[in-house]
Amino acid sequence: MKITGAVLNRIADAPPFQSSQPIEVTELDLADPQSGELLVKMSAAGVCHSDLSVVNGSRVRPVPMLLGHECSGVVVESRAEHIAAGDHVVLTFVPRCGRCPACLADRPALCSAGARANGAGEMLAGGSRLSRKGEPIRHHLGVSAFADYAVVDQGSVVVVPKDVPLDVAVLFGCAVLTGAGAIFNTAAVREGQSVAVWGLGGVGMSAVMASAAAQADVIIAIDPDAHKRAIALEVGATHAISPQESLRDVLPHGVDVALEAVGSAAVLAEAVAATAPGGMTVTVGLPAPNDQLTISPLALVAESRTLAGSYLGAANPERDIPAMIDLWRSGRLPVERLRSGSIPLSQINQAMDDLAAGHVIRQIITFDEG
Ligand SMILES: [Zn+2]
Ligand SMILES: [Zn+2]
């Protein structure tokens, strides 16, 4: 079938992308779903920093590639068991094979088959279902959400209740799963602990909300943007400071849990240094591939600090997304506050510029009905 999608034709280094136009909204051919795959009509898609990282080359992926990996939609055709046409779905950015050692150990975010497919820009079952005048187009993280339709593997899908608006459900696929998962699964934040979050994009802001839901006592949100700091205070932060201010002015002995959501080795080193003895640092940001971290191993050993990475919130999406939706229902995870407005697909290059400028949280692309 013919679809309209946003294809990254070349890596573009630096903004303004509105001038260089590395992403082209164009007509594509989408092949039929194969066994175990689904055709999904897209409803909403979030513009995430991981998309920007592919555009500017800090996350190296093959091109041309149809970007987008955070989205919600409705199943049009299913060739998968347990998923039917008409089901509402959220897509996640690591397809789960269900058979590899990581999947069998309940760590599907580390699925080796999914990682291989994502690195190659292919479907989990191999190859591409997308082409432009006969030229194969790569899939982004098994999702390729910036299009009106997508063919995805059943392992990329979580079915969600139909009463959850799809323009809210979209946020659970990447931002909320990653940020709240890091707090609930990786850091396992407990009542009464202190948490600091560096970087208030969709992931960091979700981590602030989740820390409040976990009943952390002190929650410090750190970002250069004053508007984002103000929102953080409304969704659960007890303090909001700029990177120039010192966390130790708020917590002289340091913080129990430090979460780095910037994607910078220098910020990560700062986060580790801000932890109290016995504290834990969790990093979810994606730094440039050649970034190196310099910290004192003695500071880890002699004061029992932990440093942990967290990918996809260390989540089992089929279990954790419904649980996070329940928290949203009860008002404890006000994810709507992540939205920075709706945009049409045609504005995707401008949306990347706005994201790079650091003043928006989640811009949501909405697709025309019909
Ligand atoms: Zn993302
Ligand atoms: Zn697997």
Side-chain angles (χ1 to χ4, degrees):
M1 67 185 288
K2 298 287 183 193
I3 65 167
T4 302
V7 174
L8 177 70
N9 285 319
R10 62 185 181 282
I11 307 305
D13 295 333
F17 304 121
Q18 185 59 22
S19 326
S20 56
Q21 297 277 315
I23 308 170
E24 178 192 10
V25 176
T26 182
E27 186 180 85
L28 303 165
D29 291 295
L30 180 63
D32 292 337
Q34 299 182 1
S35 176
E37 296 177 351
L38 312 152
L39 173 65
V40 176
K41 184 180 193 312
M42 219 57 82
S43 177
V47 183
C48 171
H49 219 279
S50 305
D51 299 304
L52 177 61
S53 296
V54 177
V55 176
N56 67 23
S58 64
R59 189 81 165 145
V60 180
R61 299 289 183 191
V63 291
M65 173 177 273
L66 203 171
L67 292 179
H69 62 278
E70 178 184 84
C71 63
S72 61
V74 179
V75 176
V76 176
E77 180 187 347
S78 173
R79 295 199 60 200
E81 289 177 44
H82 312 302
I83 301 171
D87 279 350
H88 287 195
V89 292
V90 166
L91 302 190
T92 60
F93 61 84
V94 181
R96 313 173 285 281
C97 78
R99 294 184 299 273
C100 74
C103 284
L104 293 174
D106 193 31
R107 304 190 76 184
L110 303 179
C111 175
S112 55
R116 192 165 48 244
N118 282 356
E122 294 185 346
M123 295 288 288
L124 187 63
S128 172
R129 308 290 171 269
L130 293 161
S131 60
R132 177 176 54 190
K133 297 190 175 97
E135 171 196 28
I137 302 294
R138 310 287 183 136
H139 292 257
H140 189 211
L141 303 175
V143 177
S144 285
F146 295 163
D148 44 4
Y149 289 87
V151 166
V152 299
D153 192 90
Q154 60 186 345
S156 299
V157 166
V158 174
V159 176
V160 296
K162 287 183 180 161
D163 66 324
V164 183
L166 284 164
D167 63 350
V168 171
V170 51
L171 297 159
F172 289 89
C174 174
V176 179
L177 193 60
T178 302
I183 293 296
F184 295 144
N185 296 330
T186 310
V189 168
R190 301 184 305 277
E191 183 178 355
Q193 284 194 306
S194 56
V195 180
V197 177
W198 280 259
L200 298 174
V203 170
M205 199 70 83
S206 297
V208 168
M209 294 178 193
S211 300
Q215 296 181 277
D217 222 19
V218 176
I219 303 167
I220 305 173
I222 305 161
D223 196 281
D225 188 83
H227 178 63
K228 289 181 179 174
R229 293 201 300 270
I231 294 175
L233 288 168
E234 290 169 15
V235 300
T238 58
H239 302 74
I241 61 177
S242 77
Q244 285 72 42
E245 296 173 84
S246 172
L247 177 145
R248 300 262 175 187
D249 290 342
V250 181
L251 288 172
H253 299 291
V255 69
D256 295 323
V257 173
L259 186 119
E260 189 275 334
V262 175
S264 151
V267 174
L268 178 55
E270 193 184 315
V272 173
T275 55
M280 180 183 224
T281 305
V282 177
T283 177
V284 298
L286 288 172
N290 53 0
D291 253 17
Q292 298 291 319
L293 176 67
T294 305
I295 56 169
S296 156
L298 184 62
L300 294 183
V301 176
E303 294 184 320
S304 290
R305 285 186 177 82
T306 307
L307 172 58
S310 181
Y311 193 54
L312 194 72
N316 177 333
E318 289 173 293
R319 178 190 62 215
D320 291 352
I321 287 180
M324 290 173 184
I325 287 175
D326 284 348
L327 279 175
W328 166 76
R329 265 187 223 288
S330 70
R332 294 168 68 197
L333 219 50
V335 304
E336 306 90 327
R337 297 304 309 277
L338 301 176
R339 297 181 56 121
S340 304
S342 296
I343 55 166
L345 186 60
S346 57
Q347 283 179 22
I348 185 66
N349 285 294
Q350 181 64 50
M352 291 293 168
D353 285 337
D354 292 342
L355 184 61
H359 303 306
V360 293
I361 305 174
R362 259 311 187 263
Q363 306 168 88
I364 303 292
I365 297 168
T366 48
F367 297 91
D368 292 338
E369 291 305 314

